[in-house]
Amino acid sequence: MIRFAIVGMGHIAKKHIDAIEKADGAELAAVCDTNPERLRDVSDVPVYTDMETMLKENEQIDVVNICVPSGLHARLAKLAARYRRHIIVEKPMALRVSDAEEMIRAAKEYDVKLAVVHPNRFRPAIRKLKEAMERGMFGKLSHANATVRWNRNQAYYDQAAWRGTKEFDGGVLMNQAIHNLDLLLWLMGPVKAVQAMAATRLRKIETEDVAAAVVEFESGALGVIEAATTIYPQNLEESIAIFGETASVKIGGRTANFIETWEAEGVSEEERAKLIDEINADPFGKPGHQWIIEDMVQAIRENREPIVTGWDGLAPVRLIEAILRSAETGTRVQLSE
């Protein structure tokens, strides 16, 4: 068994616990939170209020799952690496490119595996779209759209002092839209340049609650990004759309799980309808967190890189940093030549 410890017992920790319980070859070995109140109902594994103490005392731990506010990810990941524990870190892996790079260096230095939680890659519709793109179904790519139109009202931000802060949380791009931006990069490849605007329109927070950007990919294709937590009165949509010379696909819904459009040259109406019906009948599939836990188990046993690496986690952080720099300066920002 590969034994996991969860650090940070907030909302997202439940998904990690459920994934560990369901994953083959995984076992929960410990939990840690600086707030003892969050540990009161934990009775079946050792509990700790200090991560370093946990790592010193509990030699059974193979992997540390970091589920604390985003601004703390880098420090705790580097601590886990020094104690030679493998790492699964929630999104975003860090709030700054420099911190993400330090996490990758620490994992390499201490020879541990580093995985980043980008679970949307494992949604059935997204996996089918990735397969289609790898087969060349789209031909020459024209452009793509990544859209997150969600509601996070003021009460959401007021629930915890760290939410909406530059130091610990980031704004709509880092917190809500980063999963969609990860998909955009995974499907379309690296970004060459970006021009963007961002604003804090409705929420009383330090960071942006709405942002829009136009990107140029290294392939020459273009992309449009829209992200907001200002949508009234509830989440409207999360979608990703890809357009090429021989295909157009849009995956949408309130979360990007459903095929809304699937048109491709050489695909009959019968084939298209069958595909859409099959995916939309079970749009969620196995939870993404479970995919990532099970993959870490296998990565340790096979001594290979995790399926979502630190470099994968770094890519959307670098894009967001460029978007915010463009919005602040009013200039086009180059990410590559």
Side-chain angles (χ1 to χ4, degrees):
M1 299 293 286
I2 303 299
R3 295 176 173 86
F4 292 77
I6 295 175
V7 180
M9 290 296 288
H11 168 75
I12 202 66
K14 186 179 186 306
K15 289 191 175 183
H16 286 254
I17 292 171
D18 289 345
I20 291 166
E21 289 176 346
K22 294 174 182 176
D24 292 335
E27 182 177 88
L28 185 64
V31 298
C32 177
D33 198 292
T34 55
N35 182 356
E37 291 295 310
R38 289 183 169 177
L39 302 171
R40 285 192 309 171
D41 297 330
V42 179
S43 58
D44 50 349
V45 296
V47 300
Y48 301 87
T49 56
D50 178 75
M51 177 174 159
E52 188 163 13
T53 300
M54 178 185 74
L55 295 176
K56 286 178 179 178
E57 295 182 355
N58 195 327
E59 296 181 356
Q60 289 189 323
I61 297 168
D62 300 301
V63 185
V64 176
N65 292 33
I66 297 174
C67 304
V68 298
S70 305
L72 301 174
H73 287 179
R75 179 170 65 84
L76 298 189
K78 289 185 287 185
L79 177 62
R82 288 201 300 274
Y83 279 88
R84 300 189 184 278
R85 292 341 199 268
H86 304 293
I87 303 154
I88 293 177
V89 61
E90 265 294 337
K91 61 79 187 171
M93 69 178 291
L95 294 180
R96 289 177 290 274
V97 167
S98 58
D99 284 341
E101 290 173 337
E102 287 182 9
M103 294 164 69
I104 293 169
R105 282 196 295 269
K108 182 178 180 180
E109 178 182 354
Y110 293 101
D111 193 26
V112 298
K113 303 185 189 307
L114 170 62
V116 182
V117 179
H118 281 297
N120 294 14
R121 293 186 180 198
F122 304 98
R123 293 172 172 175
I126 297 297
R127 290 170 63 82
K128 187 63 68 174
L129 174 55
K130 177 70 170 177
E131 291 171 9
M133 295 191 73
E134 290 177 343
R135 292 198 312 269
M137 187 181 81
F138 286 79
K140 186 175 182 179
L141 291 169
S142 165
H143 67 291
N145 280 66
T147 303
V148 177
R149 294 169 175 162
W150 281 355
N151 174 277
R152 295 294 184 270
N153 59 24
Q154 192 61 44
Y156 164 85
Y157 290 105
D158 292 342
Q159 281 178 352
W162 60 271
R163 287 184 176 174
T165 64
K166 293 181 179 179
E167 184 177 2
F168 295 111
D169 188 27
V172 62
L173 292 167
M174 278 291 189
N175 199 339
Q176 284 77 31
I178 193 165
H179 284 311
N180 213 15
L181 297 183
D182 169 66
L183 295 182
L184 184 70
L185 294 168
W186 190 50
L187 295 167
M188 295 292 291
V191 167
K192 179 179 179 180
V194 60
Q195 182 89 45
M197 291 186 178
T200 309
R201 293 292 298 161
L202 302 183
R203 311 300 178 223
K204 296 177 181 178
I205 56 176
E206 294 178 356
T207 53
E208 83 287 348
D209 59 14
V210 60
V214 177
V215 302
E216 179 187 0
F217 295 96
E218 289 184 2
S219 68
L222 302 182
V224 177
I225 295 166
E226 177 192 340
T229 55
T230 56
I231 305 305
Y232 178 85
Q234 58 191 359
N235 290 358
L236 178 62
E237 72 167 306
E238 175 194 14
S239 63
I240 187 146
I242 310 292
F243 304 98
E245 61 181 335
T246 53
S248 296
V249 173
K250 180 182 179 184
I251 312 296
R254 288 193 178 180
T255 55
N257 289 91
F258 298 89
I259 297 177
E260 295 186 356
T261 300
W262 191 286
E263 301 286 352
E265 187 177 273
V267 176
S268 69
E269 177 60 30
E270 182 180 354
E271 291 173 316
R272 187 182 75 87
K274 182 180 178 182
L275 171 65
I276 293 173
D277 288 345
E278 286 179 354
I279 294 294
N280 290 354
D282 183 21
F284 299 98
K286 183 166 68 176
H289 282 77
Q290 187 178 339
W291 278 96
I292 289 167
I293 296 293
E294 290 179 346
D295 176 73
M296 178 60 84
V297 170
Q298 292 304 314
I300 293 170
R301 291 175 176 172
E302 298 167 11
N303 192 26
R304 60 165 173 81
E305 283 290 292
I307 196 168
V308 185
T309 67
W311 294 107
D312 293 323
L314 169 62
V317 175
R318 177 175 284 128
L319 173 58
I320 291 168
E321 198 169 271
I323 290 172
L324 294 176
R325 185 161 68 250
S326 174
E328 182 178 353
T329 62
T331 61
R332 175 185 169 101
V333 172
Q334 292 287 136
L335 283 87
S336 66
E337 296 300 325

